[in-house]
Amino acid sequence: MGSRSFSGAKSFPGEDIDLEDGKVAKDREKISRCYRPVKIHNQALLSGLAYCISSCSMILVNKFVLSGYDFNAGISLMLYQNLVSVIIVSALSLFGVISTEPLTWKLIKVWLPVNVIFVGMLITSIFSLKNINVAMVTVLKNVTNVITALGETYLFQKHHGNTVWAALFLMIISAISGGITDLSFHAVGYTWQIVNCFLTASYSLTLRRVMDTAKQVTKSGNLNEFSMVLLNNSLSLPLGILLVFAFDEVDYLSKTPLLRMPMFWLVMTLSGFLGLAISFTTMWFLHQTGATTYSLVGSLNKIPLSFAGIILFKVPITLENFFSILFGLLAGVIFTKAKMRERSQS
């Protein structure tokens, strides 16, 4: 959903799973029918706007925390966001607003390998966003689609049409040309982003294998979106605490004056709420429209997000870099439409 590679609340890494796998998208669409929202006029438009605003805001707020405040404890940021999500989802479940599966030891054992990849995906996303501008992160994340498509071909013997491969080739070209023309090129940031692409693709491919097994060990025989949010974020907390010590963020946290600023805590908490908001708005949007519309809107949503990132953070940009970014974003739209055509034919 959304683009959880940037946030800390979602259980899915982003549009990638929906674009790569119609089955997962359909499962989520079926789950969303269990939660009937209050009738509001033109809910499809409202839910789409809510999804777009929450997903864009999540990325921009994260970028603001990391670059605007120059916060150098990315793992702690992820940990706090996930803690906010766990508290909110647990409270909603306790009051009967949503239903979640109990976290049994059997379920935890099945889900733990996926969760390790999930945590790595979030951390590398934060590390890359710290050093790379939003537009280039968006373009570089297209490489995830390439890795996932190759994984599908070799692991699941899934056939992709020529249009899909052509779009993937365009994504690679745009990523390379974007990096070459990036005036704010940061080698460490680009390295983290490439690692993130592999982890995100691994999460997508591994999730498909684990989902069916996980459903078998739940009491209801199902695993809805809220249960996955709670499961992923709860399991990420102990691992996150270990990584905070491993990366020596404790020393930084004890010295930084940011933790004594109420406004900083407000922004951090907002990022946690926005991450969870993506989960809710995604389910609402899927219920009102469908996986196909959701995928297309998610792809188109990257265009205003990229330009907002350039304007808000005053990113130095050349004409060549601008067209590389635009080229990559359009390649993403072409890829989405090609995947939708494949899905309809199958």
Side-chain angles (χ1 to χ4, degrees), residues 24-137:
V24 175
K26 289 172 185 174
D27 285 346
R28 290 169 60 191
E29 188 175 2
K30 184 171 69 174
I31 291 169
S32 70
R33 294 194 187 103
C34 299
Y35 304 91
R36 297 287 178 180
V38 178
K39 287 296 178 184
I40 304 173
H41 181 66
N42 207 350
Q43 283 197 47
L45 177 60
L46 288 175
S47 60
L49 285 173
Y51 162 69
C52 291
I53 292 171
S54 60
S55 59
C56 285
S57 299
M58 178 73 235
I59 298 168
L60 296 174
V61 169
N62 267 356
K63 181 64 175 176
F64 181 64
V65 171
L66 295 167
S67 298
Y69 279 106
D70 196 25
F71 187 60
N72 295 315
I75 301 174
S76 300
L77 173 62
M78 177 215 71
L79 188 64
Y80 184 72
Q81 290 175 339
N82 290 8
L83 178 61
V84 170
S85 297
V86 170
I87 293 172
I88 296 174
V89 173
S90 299
L92 292 176
S93 178
L94 182 64
F95 289 107
V97 178
I98 60 173
S99 64
T100 57
E101 290 293 328
L103 303 185
T104 63
W105 179 240
K106 287 184 179 180
L107 180 58
I108 290 172
K109 284 196 296 184
V110 170
W111 202 263
L112 194 57
V114 180
N115 187 257
V116 172
I117 302 173
F118 172 77
V119 171
M121 181 185 74
L122 295 185
I123 292 173
T124 53
S125 174
I126 288 174
F127 285 171
S128 66
L129 189 61
K130 166 75 175 174
N131 298 301
I132 309 177
N133 68 72
V134 173
M136 278 311 303
V137 166

Side-chain angles (χ1 to χ4, degrees), residues 4-20:
R4 174 57 216 262
S5 39
F6 292 104
S7 68
K10 295 186 328 189
S11 57
F12 289 102
E15 291 94 4
D16 301 317
I17 286 188
D18 291 320
L19 300 183
E20 280 27 291

Side-chain angles (χ1 to χ4, degrees), residues 185-204:
F185 179 86
H186 195 288
V188 174
Y190 272 69
T191 301
W192 280 120
Q193 184 53 54
I194 295 301
V195 174
N196 174 259
C197 290
F198 278 96
L199 288 172
T200 305
S202 299
Y203 179 72
S204 172

Side-chain angles (χ1 to χ4, degrees), residues 240-250:
I241 292 171
L242 289 175
L243 291 172
V244 165
F245 283 97
F247 280 76
D248 198 27
E249 288 190 359
V250 176

Side-chain angles (χ1 to χ4, degrees), residues 15 19 51 285 290-302 332-334 336-337 340 343:
E15 291 94 4
L19 300 183
Y51 162 69
F285 190 32
T292 300
T293 303
Y294 168 77
S295 297
L296 184 58
V297 170
S299 182
L300 292 171
N301 194 36
K302 295 177 181 179
V333 175
I334 294 171
T336 304
K337 296 196 71 173
M340 289 192 303
R343 192 181 301 163

